[in-house]
């Protein structure tokens, strides 16, 4: 059941591509995708069906959801260059973490740390706040937590 919920996030994410960013339909699908992300792990734990496959499927579904959101949201808002640079630095750290995971643990590693979860929650809330607060103000705390989460994840990967 949990994997079905996670799988629905793939379908919902792709459906987001067909609606204008910040439209009511976009927000409905966006919230539905977020809900699937919040409940799939809980369902897996409550039913005793946690699995390595499910954890990886969840991570891949998260990546697809984020990629689709970036494709839809970035062109719809004006983002200062410094935010792109900061995002690039975070992405670079994440790429280094992925490579380190392969080197150190011989597998694809994406840790579900508290800071990663907080980053995810903040990133999820970001599009909901864009109509009310300028992106340059929202980006500072989100990027700050995201970079700390990326650094922490890299540290945890390397000490295992």
């Amino acid at each position: 059941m949990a994997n079905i919920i996670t799988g629905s996030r793939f379908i919902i994410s792709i459906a987001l591509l067909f609606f204008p960013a910040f439209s009511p339909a976009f927000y409905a699908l966006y919230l539905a995708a977020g809900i699937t992300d919040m409940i799939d792990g809980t369902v897996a734990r409550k039913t005793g069906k946690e699995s390595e496959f499910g954890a990886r499927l969840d991570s891949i579904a998260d990546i697809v959801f984020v990629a689709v959101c970036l494709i839809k949201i970035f062109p719809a808002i004006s983002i200062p260059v410094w935010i792109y640079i900061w995002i690039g630095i975070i992405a670079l750290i994440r790429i280094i973490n992925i490579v380190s995971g392969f080197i150190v643990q011989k597998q694809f590693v994406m840790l579900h740390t508290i800071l990663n979860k907080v980053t995810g929650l903040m990133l999820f809330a970001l599009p909901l706040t864009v109509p009310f607060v300028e992106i340059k103000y929202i980006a500072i705390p989100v990027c700050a937590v995201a970079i700390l989460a990326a650094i922490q994840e890299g540290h945890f990967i390397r000490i295992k």
Side-chain angles (χ1 to χ4, degrees), residues 3 11 70 73 77 85 116 118 128 138 143 152 154 158:
N3 290 344
I11 296 165
L70 293 175
I73 293 170
I77 57 177
I85 293 168
N116 275 339
V118 170
L128 303 172
I138 302 167
C143 286
Q152 179 192 50
R158 286 172 197 77

Side-chain angles (χ1 to χ4, degrees), residues 21-75:
F22 310 118
S23 69
F26 177 86
Y27 276 128
L29 289 168
Y30 184 83
L31 290 170
I35 290 167
T36 66
D37 190 28
M38 288 185 265
I39 66 172
D40 59 357
T42 303
V43 169
R45 284 185 292 281
K46 295 284 186 193
T47 60
K49 302 288 184 182
E50 291 177 278
S51 69
E52 186 67 28
F53 172 77
R56 290 185 195 279
L57 185 65
D58 180 61
S59 293
I60 294 166
D62 289 346
I63 290 167
V64 170
F65 179 55
V66 169
V68 166
C69 289
L70 293 175
I71 290 166
K72 293 302 291 185
I73 293 170
F74 272 28

Side-chain angles (χ1 to χ4, degrees), residues 62-139:
D62 289 346
I63 290 167
V64 170
F65 179 55
V66 169
V68 166
C69 289
L70 293 175
I71 290 166
K72 293 302 291 185
I73 293 170
F74 272 28
I77 57 177
S78 177
I79 301 173
V81 172
W82 63 267
I83 295 175
Y84 282 111
I85 293 168
W86 204 348
I87 292 169
I89 292 167
I90 294 165
L92 180 62
I93 294 169
R94 295 269 180 204
I95 291 166
I96 291 168
N97 290 346
I98 290 168
V99 171
S100 294
F102 275 118
I103 293 168
V104 174
Q105 298 184 24
K106 310 290 188 254
Q107 63 181 347
F108 176 73
V109 179
M110 288 186 76
L111 303 177
H112 292 271
T113 65
I114 297 294
L115 274 180
N116 275 339
K117 289 178 186 232
V118 170
T119 300
L121 180 62
M122 292 175 79
L123 284 170
F124 181 75
L126 192 140
L128 303 172
T129 62
V130 165
F132 310 106
V133 182
E134 285 185 59
I135 190 71
K136 64 183 177 183
Y137 300 117
I138 302 167

